[in-house]
Amino acid sequence: MAEKVEIVVASIHMNDGEKNEMEMTYTGEYEQVGMVHIIKYNEYEDDKIVNYNTMFIKEDFMRVVKMGQVTSELIFIKDENTQTTYCTPYGNIEMGVKTHLICTDIAKNRINVKVLYSMLVGNDVISDTSMVVIIKKCDKCS
């Protein structure tokens, strides 16, 4: 049975020496299937759902699937390169993801994930990102 959770996604993106910080908080649902922790949440714009998101987390692994205005699948595994296609209203963009570090801390009512990664187009790094995801049980979430 799914439980209500609060999801905080904080990131720092470095592009061409320019720093861009973001922090978003969402309400979603959590369930565990075997060793995999599954978190589902929606992104809204003007009170309309624009993206459906699902995170799959296990020790030192995270997969993020985004479907909606932008569709993508990001897979983070330490020291591995993975490929993704960002499907946008303006066309598709092929990207590489190089995960430098992923640390997962899974406790009873809280999951913390830290990921350091680079986004690439071909062999060119277009951004370096530090991302922290915090998922915690939320009894007051609606």
Side-chain angles (χ1 to χ4, degrees):
M1 184 166 145
E3 299 178 46
K4 295 287 186 184
V5 290
E6 179 182 82
I7 302 111
V8 177
V9 180
S11 58
I12 301 171
H13 305 270
M14 294 295 293
N15 305 28
D16 293 328
E18 187 174 314
K19 184 177 180 180
N20 182 13
E21 296 183 41
M22 297 185 342
E23 183 173 311
M24 302 296 291
T25 302
Y26 306 98
T27 300
E29 294 185 344
Y30 162 86
E31 66 180 316
Q32 183 174 351
V33 177
M35 298 301 293
V36 180
H37 303 270
I38 302 169
I39 298 89
K40 296 180 181 182
Y41 64 97
N42 300 325
E43 293 178 24
Y44 294 86
E45 190 172 290
D46 299 324
D47 294 329
K48 294 181 184 175
I49 296 174
V50 294
N51 288 309
Y52 301 91
N53 301 296
T54 306
M55 293 180 174
F56 301 88
I57 300 170
K58 57 184 181 178
E59 189 172 335
D60 298 329
F61 171 91
M62 182 166 67
R63 176 176 162 230
V64 180
V65 177
K66 182 181 291 265
M67 299 180 71
Q69 276 187 341
V70 174
T71 300
S72 66
E73 176 184 37
L74 297 173
I75 298 174
F76 302 102
I77 304 170
K78 186 177 188 281
D79 293 330
E80 288 200 22
N81 292 329
T82 57
Q83 297 296 312
T84 189
T85 301
Y86 275 88
C87 301
T88 75
Y90 309 105
N92 296 347
I93 304 167
E94 299 290 329
M95 309 267 306
V97 180
K98 168 66 176 156
T99 305
H100 306 288
L101 172 77
I102 180 166
C103 296
T104 53
D105 180 17
I106 300 169
K108 183 175 179 169
N109 292 318
R110 183 183 189 96
I111 298 172
N112 296 331
V113 182
K114 180 175 183 177
V115 184
L116 302 176
Y117 67 96
S118 298
M119 296 295 292
L120 302 100
V121 174
N123 292 323
D124 297 326
V125 174
I126 60 166
S127 73
D128 289 308
T129 301
S130 172
M131 177 173 60
V132 174
V133 179
I134 301 167
I135 299 116
K136 57 186 174 181
K137 189 174 177 180
C138 182
D139 296 322
K140 298 178 184 178
C141 295
S142 56

